[in-house]
Amino acid sequence: MRLRIECAYDGTDFHGWATQPGLRTVQDVLNHALMTVLRRESVATVCAGRTDAGVHARGQVVHVDVDRDQVPPHLLRRLNGVLPADVRVRDVGEAPPGFDARFSALWRRYAYRIADDPALVDPLTRHHVLVWSRPLDIDAMNEASALLVGHHDFASFCRRREGATTIRTLLDLSWSRSPAGLAEATVRADAFCHSMVRALVGCLLAVGDGRESPEWAGRILHAGRRDPSVTVAHPHGLTLEEVAYPADAEMASRATTTRARRDG
Amino acid sequence: MRLRIECAYDGTDFHGWATQPGLRTVQDVLNHALMTVLRRESVATVCAGRTDAGVHARGQVVHVDVDRDQVPPHLLRRLNGVLPADVRVRDVGEAPPGFDARFSALWRRYAYRIADDPALVDPLTRHHVLVWSRPLDIDAMNEASALLVGHHDFASFCRRREGATTIRTLLDLSWSRSPAGLAEATVRADAFCHSMVRALVGCLLAVGDGRESPEWAGRILHAGRRDPSVTVAHPHGLTLEEVAYPADAEMASRATTTRARRDG
């Protein structure tokens, strides 16, 4: 059977999601907990969004295949009993037929949070909110963001990887003030290439604090290659908030379609 | 001149507000920053709410008397440049005449935050949200809380101190679900005695998870002395959110009234 695990983590003390020899990663810590609780010598977890070092998650989704008779009662409580405090499983259960945490996903939603005034800086959120020393113009950032939304080649905002496409559909990129007054970006896409959200935010910060005009963001996009004047924003302001999946009946066909497109 | 400083801190790595020999406290760290920036050998800070070890603050208010010609420009930025990341000054300026951070205060407002469902547990807030393993009945907690609001002798919820009154006016004690789903208490009083908020919350947790009836909270209050069945809730769920002061013209008279009442 396949388990669907929803988990959250504070990325501060992790070298990102993916297993790396000798480094503390979320995948290793979760795998270790699963091996302990399921009494297995290895597990193969697959996640929806491979977060970078320092990036957090509230709605990360993971699948793992297990033998039905290995699954003990109270699995959620047992996993949380074994996991360190900076990783929590929020939900776990049998996945619907055809479910694949990565390939069944319809979209991923990230948030990027910024305190741009000393009165907004909260030591309790310092590990997941960026402090910016100049006030940000949300309207200008939204004007620039609107130029980036849609189906584009995001090569200007991606770390290039041999043979991988940088074409993505950016479904939503918008800024608002949180109830606490923070500048918050909502970033939603079918998928993201490596460091894409942080490069988009880095570009928009230059617009927000007045160094560049909103139109500049459009010019960067259409240039089609990485511009050294676009900085990649710090990872700690970024949180994977949600991954959406289709209704159970369409899970398998969604995975097939996505896999074909990525391979093609 | 007297400075009014509004500051916030993550209490996790502090042994509370007040200076204690050999221990890291917020007061010591703030005093050190003031001495550095003002080039003084000592400062005498007074705060509105002396938070315990592990308790946080978003709206702590402090006063300190300084020579006007010692105050450098950009004081806020300079203080934050010297302070560690777990303490931030949010605002600093000249206090109105007669202002006293402690004695001019009209009331203090605290929040206590609890995640009572595994789906609510967020590793990013683990240092300031209590995890409770049983679901809490907000209605029952509000019913019990209503019995505690008002002008009472809170001896049942205070650590007794020789010669100090335990009579307080509890202006507000109410529970609600935060947008994220957490159980949140709002606790507001003219002043609190030592560990009072945490003892109130500890009592209400027993009501919330069904171990005791709401009426039990009223019986505890009227017993008039500490009951060993009331546990003091963990400090890390508690945050000093706000301290309110009267209009500038009434600042001095408020301080005089409060001082007279406390001494009497």
Side-chain angles (χ1 to χ4, degrees), chain A residues 187-229:
Chain A
V187 195
R188 195 164 59 88
D190 58 342
F192 293 94
C193 43
H194 191 238
S195 83
M196 177 173 154
V197 181
R198 291 164 54 201
L200 289 169
V201 171
C203 167
L204 295 166
L205 281 169
V207 172
D209 67 17
R211 282 172 290 152
E212 301 286 352
S213 70
E215 296 70 32
W216 175 75
R219 289 200 299 277
I220 294 284
L221 173 68
H222 295 297
R225 59 200 159 92
R226 208 115 185 185
D227 187 314
S229 64

Side-chain angles (χ1 to χ4, degrees), chain B residues 176-227:
Chain B
S176 61
R177 289 282 167 189
S178 78
L182 301 176
E184 281 196 9
T186 298
V187 195
R188 194 164 59 87
D190 57 342
F192 293 94
C193 43
H194 190 239
S195 83
M196 178 173 155
V197 181
R198 291 163 54 201
L200 290 169
V201 171
C203 167
L204 295 166
L205 281 169
V207 173
D209 67 16
R211 282 172 290 152
E212 302 286 353
S213 70
E215 295 70 35
W216 176 75
R219 288 200 299 274
I220 294 284
L221 173 69
H222 295 298
R225 59 199 159 90
R226 206 111 187 189
D227 188 312

Side-chain angles (χ1 to χ4, degrees), chain A residues 8-10 56 58 76 85-86 88-90 118-124 126 128 239, chain B residues 8-10 56 58 76 85-86 88-90 118-124 126 128 239:
Chain A
Y9 44 87
D10 175 348
H56 318 289
R58 285 206 176 85
L76 179 114
D86 50 356
R88 292 288 95 184
V89 171
R90 305 181 114 178
L120 297 173
V121 177
D122 180 352
L124 291 172
R126 70 188 183 282
H128 67 279
T239 304
Chain B
Y9 44 88
D10 175 348
H56 318 289
R58 284 206 176 85
L76 179 112
D86 51 357
R88 291 290 96 182
V89 171
R90 305 183 113 177
L120 297 173
V121 177
D122 180 352
L124 290 172
R126 70 188 183 282
H128 67 279
T239 304

Side-chain angles (χ1 to χ4, degrees), chain A:
Chain A
M1 69 182 282
R2 179 162 284 188
L3 289 175
R4 179 194 187 283
I5 300 169
E6 192 164 327
C7 66
Y9 44 87
D10 175 348
T12 309
D13 294 329
F14 286 106
H15 291 265
W17 164 264
T19 294
Q20 291 182 69
L23 297 178
R24 184 174 188 257
T25 70
V26 182
Q27 186 174 28
D28 275 346
V29 159
L30 183 62
N31 285 358
H32 179 79
L34 285 163
M35 289 188 282
T36 304
V37 169
L38 302 172
R39 299 171 182 280
R40 284 172 59 143
E41 301 212 343
S42 71
V43 290
T45 46
V46 173
C47 79
R50 293 162 56 100
T51 48
D52 291 345
V55 175
H56 318 289
R58 285 206 176 85
Q60 176 71 281
V61 179
V62 177
H63 81 238
V64 62
D65 293 323
V66 301
D67 293 333
R68 191 175 296 272
D69 57 11
Q70 285 179 326
V71 179
H74 310 298
L75 179 58
L76 179 114
R77 201 188 308 161
R78 280 177 199 237
L79 285 172
N80 282 328
V82 172
L83 285 166
D86 50 356
V87 184
R88 292 288 95 184
V89 171
R90 305 181 114 178
D91 196 24
V92 58
E94 185 168 0
F99 176 83
D100 183 293
R102 180 176 173 204
F103 288 112
S104 299
L106 293 174
W107 45 257
R108 284 91 174 150
R109 176 169 63 84
Y110 283 86
Y112 199 99
R113 298 187 169 87
I114 307 168
D116 60 340
D117 184 302
L120 297 173
V121 177
D122 180 352
L124 291 172
T125 63
R126 70 188 183 282
H127 296 302
H128 67 279
V129 174
L130 181 77
V131 173
W132 200 249
S133 60
R134 282 160 294 187
L136 296 171
D137 179 339
I138 295 284
D139 291 339
M141 291 165 94
N142 273 326
E143 201 182 315
S145 298
L147 304 172
L148 306 174
V149 169
H151 189 71
H152 302 291
D153 185 342
F154 285 95
S156 312
F157 301 100
C158 294
R159 199 183 288 179
R160 192 167 280 294
R161 258 191 345 161
E162 208 53 55
T165 175
T166 49
I167 295 171
R168 295 287 187 278
T169 304
L170 190 57
L171 298 161
D172 191 5
L173 176 55
S174 56
W175 295 81
S176 62
R177 290 283 168 190
S178 77
L182 301 177
E184 281 196 10
T186 298
V187 195
R188 195 164 59 88
D190 58 342
F192 293 94
C193 43
H194 191 238
S195 83
M196 177 173 154
V197 181
R198 291 164 54 201
L200 289 169
V201 171
C203 167
L204 295 166
L205 281 169
V207 172
D209 67 17
R211 282 172 290 152
E212 301 286 352
S213 70
E215 296 70 32
W216 175 75
R219 289 200 299 277
I220 294 284
L221 173 68
H222 295 297
R225 59 200 159 92
R226 208 115 185 185
D227 187 314
S229 64
V230 173
T231 55
V232 172
H234 285 275
H236 78 276
L238 185 60
T239 304
L240 171 59
E241 294 283 346
E242 187 187 4
V243 185
Y245 294 93
D248 286 2
E250 289 125 57
M251 209 64 88
S253 69
R254 169 74 191 176
T256 310
T257 317
T258 312
R259 223 180 251 112
R261 205 178 55 215
R262 296 281 171 83
D263 294 343

Side-chain angles (χ1 to χ4, degrees), chain B residues 5 34-35 62 83-84 91 93 103 106 114 123 129 136 138 142 145-147 151 168-169 189 196 198 203 206:
Chain B
I5 300 170
L34 285 164
M35 288 188 283
V62 176
L83 286 166
D91 196 24
F103 287 113
L106 293 174
I114 307 168
V129 174
L136 296 171
I138 294 284
N142 273 326
S145 297
L147 302 172
H151 190 72
R168 295 287 186 277
T169 304
M196 178 173 155
R198 291 163 54 201
C203 167

